Amino acid sequence: MTADELTVENTQPASVKRFNDDSTVSEPLKKAKVDVVDFETELDNFDIAELDVDDETDEAMVISSPAENSAPVGQGLTVKQEEEKLDKLHFQSLLKIFYQRLFPFNDFYRWFAYGDVQKNYFAKREWSFELASEAFIRFQSYSNAEELKNDILRLCPVKMDIGAVYNIQPNDKRTIGPGAFKPQERELVFDIDMTDYDDIRTCCSGGNICHKCWDFMTIAIKIIHRVLTEDFAFKHILWVYSGRRGVHCWVCDESARKLSADARRAIVSYMEVVKGGDSVARKVQLPKSLHPSLRRAYDVCHRHFQKTILEDMDVLGSPDSWNKLLQAIPDEDVRRSLHQEWSSNTNMPAIKKWGRLQGELKSKKKPHTSTTERDLVFQYTYPRLDINVSIGLNHLLKAPFCVHPKTGRVCIPIDPDRCEEFDPLNVPTLGKVVEEINAFVGEADLATDARRKKVQDYQKTSLEPHIEYFKRFLANIAEDIRRTQRAKQDLSF
């Protein structure tokens, strides 16, 4: 099943409608190159992987009926609904300015064309859009940056996702038989979502974040980036803030883009440490002798454990949280002894409680408890990976420099070497960067015309250092491609 264009009946739960009358289709969707889907006849062929999207969408694909939030038939909108409508209109007007003046379309072409070494490589890339109407358009493709920009300015999507490079241009997928349309390549990607830490977090939950729990993302970047660069020798890695509650990682080396699903699964399995759902108490069970990569990861986890887990999360601060931790200890006597001691000494500092846990485990001198303390440190700090995101070639991931529709924050790159300095609550926002453009225009009245012409719009805003970082990232890829091409030419002589 494809989902290139969807609309919803106002009188029933979410469903897909075949467009028989142009009057029922919004103007942007009339012009889009789409597949029209009959839900009932396509249901048997439905492939959930085709609708796999990144962490910031609450469902794989959300199609809600406008009737769910509207006033009864024949009545006007409530005051709250009018305010929400005005807010959405304001957001869309600012978003249009953002796409027109700030979004780095040419840089995106440089990125996804990869030096134009392979013919039509950019054109075979899937682009996916979610519109303000909640319509979700998949399998769009473009020959160049200008085509991409024109379509985005016309559609003004609230969300952009990027997919794989296919064997033909995704726009032409209907011209070949079922099953013939296949993904060929895509970057190796990782998606770290803060909600996967909700069983540990005591400060926030769901989509909410704060400086305390953001440390989980910092730890994840440190560990995963080191593994990718040192253990797998990847060089071109882009970390991006998701705009709300997580981070995305794009590994762009040619060798990474050509990885098979099995190879991607092997890489993720190599990294995976925390396993098991909510019903599993002990999610980490590693051998006594650790692989060198895990020993280096443990050094990072251990350095963060006291401040992040014992102090900021205060996981030993209440019976509910400390009992959750104690359940991971495979010795009933230790669990019971510590629970009784901590319950009778409610003012005992967390660091002292952890010291008592260490002492109890060492006193047992049993094989099954010898690694428990170390495994608890891993369980509470090690990155939690969404395996399916990394394995599937046809998975969609949000484009960098998008604006998150719920927070207004721009999805900016994160320098892994300075990830501890990154503040997710102080990134450029849609409203802020548009204001900065306007403020710059006012100041520029005193400057010369020549000076104004030299300053690009993004340089007038707080996006400048982030777009410059992105440009340097692309320059490194371009230099690597040129070096590889020169080497191939030398070998041909």
Side-chain angles (χ1 to χ4, degrees):
M1 171 179 167
T2 61
D4 295 340
E5 178 170 333
L6 303 171
T7 189
V8 181
E9 294 283 355
N10 289 341
T11 57
Q12 59 186 13
S15 60
V16 181
K17 176 181 177 181
R18 184 177 292 279
F19 298 136
N20 295 318
D21 180 359
D22 279 350
S23 64
T24 66
V25 187
S26 66
E27 190 62 29
L29 292 180
K30 287 181 185 179
K31 297 178 182 178
K33 300 174 183 177
V34 297
D35 281 339
V36 179
V37 179
D38 184 336
F39 185 78
E40 288 77 10
T41 60
E42 292 283 344
L43 184 59
D44 291 338
N45 298 322
F46 177 74
D47 180 3
I48 189 63
E50 286 198 346
L51 299 179
D52 203 8
V53 297
D54 71 44
D55 66 305
E56 302 302 333
T57 303
D58 294 329
E59 300 292 342
M61 181 173 68
V62 181
I63 315 166
S64 62
S65 168
E68 294 174 2
N69 299 315
S70 62
V73 176
Q75 297 182 20
L77 296 176
T78 64
V79 172
K80 181 178 180 181
Q81 289 167 338
E82 286 284 8
E83 290 175 348
E84 290 175 352
K85 183 178 179 181
L86 288 173
D87 286 343
K88 288 182 178 180
L89 290 173
H90 181 60
F91 181 86
Q92 285 297 108
S93 66
L94 294 180
L95 195 58
K96 189 86 171 181
I97 297 171
F98 179 83
Y99 286 139
Q100 177 70 52
R101 301 186 63 178
L102 294 172
F103 192 84
F105 291 102
N106 290 330
D107 291 323
F108 266 68
Y109 180 83
R110 287 177 60 206
W111 181 13
F112 290 125
Y114 288 104
D116 290 311
V117 174
Q118 295 185 43
K119 186 178 180 181
N120 295 326
Y121 196 81
F122 182 87
K124 293 179 180 178
R125 172 81 62 169
E126 179 192 357
W127 294 78
S128 170
F129 307 115
E130 182 181 342
L131 307 187
S133 63
E134 296 184 350
F136 190 68
I137 307 174
R138 282 204 67 173
F139 303 114
Q140 303 303 290
S141 56
Y142 307 94
S143 298
N144 51 53
E146 184 179 2
E147 281 188 13
L148 174 65
K149 180 175 182 178
N150 289 340
D151 215 25
I152 287 177
L153 288 177
R154 178 172 55 81
L155 295 170
C156 200
V158 296
K159 186 166 176 282
M160 276 193 292
D161 293 300
I162 299 168
V165 175
Y166 284 81
N167 53 332
I168 65 168
Q169 295 185 30
N171 276 347
D172 297 330
K173 68 187 291 288
R174 290 167 291 171
T175 64
I176 58 177
F181 180 65
K182 296 182 180 297
Q184 302 294 298
E185 298 181 10
R186 78 148 303 145
E187 295 73 15
L188 175 63
V189 297
F190 295 90
D191 183 356
I192 315 296
D193 191 334
M194 191 72 80
T195 56
D196 291 329
Y197 296 82
D198 277 355
D199 63 323
I200 300 173
R201 290 198 293 168
T202 57
C203 52
C204 308
S205 63
N208 297 321
I209 62 169
C210 68
H211 293 123
K212 290 182 178 180
C213 58
W214 187 256
D215 204 37
F216 289 115
M217 298 296 106
T218 301
I219 296 169
I221 293 173
K222 287 181 177 180
I223 290 175
I224 295 175
H225 192 77
R226 190 211 57 76
V227 172
L228 293 172
T229 55
E230 296 183 16
D231 297 0
F232 292 98
F234 293 128
K235 295 186 293 184
H236 305 297
I237 302 168
L238 183 69
W239 286 93
V240 183
Y241 173 46
S242 71
R244 190 182 184 192
R245 63 182 184 228
V247 294
H248 300 156
C249 176
W250 299 75
V251 186
C252 303
D253 300 60
E254 182 180 10
S255 58
R257 303 197 308 269
K258 294 182 179 297
L259 288 171
S260 66
D262 287 340
R264 293 164 194 262
R265 183 179 289 105
I267 290 174
V268 175
S269 297
Y270 176 84
M271 294 185 184
E272 189 182 23
V273 169
V274 182
K275 304 176 182 180
D278 293 338
S279 60
V280 179
R282 187 173 180 178
K283 296 180 173 63
V284 175
Q285 298 190 53
L286 295 170
K288 185 174 183 178
S289 179
L290 288 179
H291 186 282
S293 181
L294 285 178
R295 287 203 298 269
R296 290 189 290 267
Y298 180 75
D299 289 342
V300 176
C301 293
H302 190 263
R303 284 198 300 271
H304 285 264
F305 185 78
Q306 179 175 332
K307 181 181 184 304
T308 303
I309 304 303
L310 298 183
E311 297 175 11
D312 290 344
M313 295 300 108
D314 194 22
V315 297
L316 302 181
S318 69
D320 285 344
S321 58
W322 79 52
N323 277 323
K324 186 182 295 184
L325 182 146
L326 292 178
Q327 288 304 311
I329 297 176
D331 189 295
E332 185 177 353
D333 291 339
V334 173
R335 294 197 301 266
R336 182 172 55 251
S337 173
L338 290 174
H339 175 68
Q340 290 175 349
E341 180 180 358
W342 296 347
S343 297
S344 61
N345 293 275
T346 56
N347 294 324
M348 182 185 295
I351 189 64
K352 188 173 182 180
K353 289 178 181 176
W354 183 251
R356 290 290 302 119
L357 181 149
Q358 292 173 311
E360 285 289 322
L361 291 174
K362 289 178 181 178
S363 68
K364 292 297 178 182
K365 297 182 180 179
K366 295 179 179 179
H368 69 285
T369 60
S370 62
T371 61
T372 299
E373 176 198 342
R374 181 202 66 191
D375 288 355
L376 283 171
V377 172
F378 271 115
Q379 180 165 326
Y380 274 77
T381 56
Y382 191 85
R384 301 186 171 200
L385 305 175
D386 187 333
I387 299 174
N388 294 326
V389 172
S390 302
I391 293 174
L393 267 70
N394 61 348
H395 183 85
L396 298 174
L397 195 64
K398 186 189 297 145
F401 294 103
C402 276
V403 176
H404 196 289
K406 293 184 179 179
T407 64
R409 297 174 192 150
V410 182
C411 302
I412 58 173
I414 301 172
D415 183 347
D417 294 330
R418 302 176 59 186
C419 59
E420 290 199 67
E421 301 173 20
F422 182 79
D423 183 355
L425 305 181
N426 190 33
V427 302
T429 62
L430 177 61
K432 180 181 179 181
V433 294
V434 172
E435 286 179 1
E436 288 170 340
I437 290 178
N438 293 334
F440 188 92
V441 170
E443 294 173 5
D445 289 339
L446 302 177
T448 65
D449 290 340
R451 166 63 182 160
R452 285 202 299 269
K453 290 177 182 178
K454 290 180 181 179
V455 179
Q456 298 186 52
D457 281 332
Y458 78 86
Q459 294 174 313
K460 305 171 185 176
T461 74
S462 51
L463 282 176
E464 180 179 12
H466 309 294
I467 291 183
E468 292 294 341
Y469 177 89
F470 185 49
K471 288 178 180 293
R472 291 193 298 273
F473 168 76
L474 298 179
N476 290 334
I477 293 178
E479 176 57 32
D480 201 28
I481 292 172
R482 286 192 294 269
R483 190 182 302 113
T484 301
Q485 291 303 108
R486 286 195 297 267
K488 288 180 178 179
Q489 290 172 0
D490 292 343
L491 288 173
S492 66
F493 287 107

